[in-house]
Amino acid sequence: MTYSTGSKPCFAAVDDFNNDSRLDIVVANCDGNTISVLLGYGNDSFANQTTYSTGLGPYSLAVGDFNNDTRLDIVVVNRKNNTISVLLGYGNGFFTNQITYSTGFTPSCVVVSDFNADNQLDIVVADANGKSVTVHLGYPNEGFLKQMSLITGNGSRPRSFTNGDFNNDGQIDIAVVNSGTNNIGVFLGYVNGSFANQMTYSTDSSPCAIAAGDFNNDTILDIVVVNRDNDTIEVFLGY
């Protein structure tokens, strides 16, 4: 089965946007400056797309309830004009017009989590052609007001990241792949939503993706990194 999207679809996510217990699809259309939402019928088929405008060059996206109304919302990374777009959901499969927030240079990846333990989702964006990761802290009824830049170093070009509690202190930390300097940077989180300076670990050439999991069953998160130029992955065991 094939379904139409906007121009040059480049990223997709699935969730239940209209609370009917059936999975739906949202797609970022890189050249169309839109996202497409396709509602699922629960019988292996989907409705035709409904499109929503974004910034320029939507490149990736994530889903979460950003205003704590029990309705799923969408955040989109706009690579070509250095913004993110937040589209709040009505709970029936439809969304508001975008609200935009500035990011660093050439955002490429987005993750949502509650970094300051206030029961409000926050947004983190990797700035692929810059030297930072941008953190947007969420506030009830006010959107995302506080923006912090976590410095990854000159020429670092952070490309991808993951989050988790890497030091078992109950706080969410961030691990980022720095493709320009061939390392990963780990930012340990504090309860107030701020982070320590990065600790770096060398990788092979051109790391481009990262994930975390407990690979040796010691209850401590480990990290796997994909190195594009030499066809390898590396595993970093946590202590």
Side-chain angles (χ1 to χ4, degrees):
M1 293 178 287
T2 302
Y3 297 89
S4 295
T5 65
S7 179
K8 296 294 189 294
C10 57
F11 195 93
V14 297
D15 218 314
D16 180 9
F17 297 122
N18 57 348
N19 292 318
D20 63 355
S21 299
R22 300 165 181 170
L23 285 178
D24 312 307
I25 301 171
V26 58
V27 180
N29 302 308
C30 290
D31 284 358
N33 302 327
T34 61
I35 59 170
S36 300
V37 176
L38 296 86
L39 299 179
Y41 292 127
N43 60 356
D44 301 327
S45 65
F46 293 85
N48 290 333
Q49 65 174 324
T50 301
T51 60
Y52 299 88
S53 295
T54 66
L56 300 180
Y59 191 73
S60 67
L61 53 82
V63 175
D65 179 8
F66 299 128
N67 55 350
N68 286 345
D69 63 354
T70 71
R71 301 165 181 172
L72 287 177
D73 313 308
I74 299 169
V75 57
V76 185
V77 164
N78 301 308
R79 189 177 176 90
K80 293 182 180 179
N81 68 340
N82 303 327
T83 63
I84 56 174
S85 299
V86 175
L87 296 89
L88 300 178
Y90 290 120
N92 59 359
F94 294 93
F95 294 84
T96 64
N97 292 333
Q98 63 176 323
I99 306 167
T100 59
Y101 300 89
S102 296
T103 68
F105 189 55
T106 318
S108 63
C109 180
V110 61
V111 166
V112 299
S113 190
D114 180 8
F115 292 103
N116 56 347
D118 64 351
N119 296 315
Q120 191 82 21
L121 283 180
D122 311 307
I123 296 172
V124 180
V125 179
D127 305 319
N129 285 332
K131 58 178 183 179
S132 67
V133 172
T134 306
V135 180
H136 302 260
L137 295 180
Y139 292 87
N141 304 316
E142 298 181 32
F144 298 90
L145 298 182
K146 185 177 180 181
Q147 176 179 317
M148 296 181 295
S149 292
L150 307 181
I151 303 302
T152 53
N154 290 332
S156 55
R157 299 185 66 186
R159 186 177 180 90
S160 177
F161 57 85
T162 188
N163 61 286
D165 183 5
F166 296 115
N167 58 346
N168 282 351
D169 66 350
Q171 306 304 318
I172 302 297
D173 313 309
I174 298 171
V176 58
V177 161
N178 296 315
S179 61
T181 48
N182 296 330
N183 59 37
I184 59 174
V186 176
F187 296 89
L188 298 180
Y190 300 123
V191 70
N192 62 356
S194 64
F195 293 83
N197 292 335
Q198 77 167 338
M199 299 178 290
T200 59
Y201 302 87
S202 295
T203 67
D204 285 333
S205 179
S206 296
C208 63
I210 188 171
D214 181 7
F215 300 128
N216 54 351
N217 293 321
D218 63 354
T219 72
I220 299 172
L221 282 179
D222 311 305
I223 292 172
V224 58
V225 176
V226 174
N227 301 304
R228 182 181 57 195
D229 283 358
N230 63 352
D231 304 330
T232 64
I233 62 170
E234 290 177 277
V235 175
F236 296 80
L237 296 179
Y239 293 95

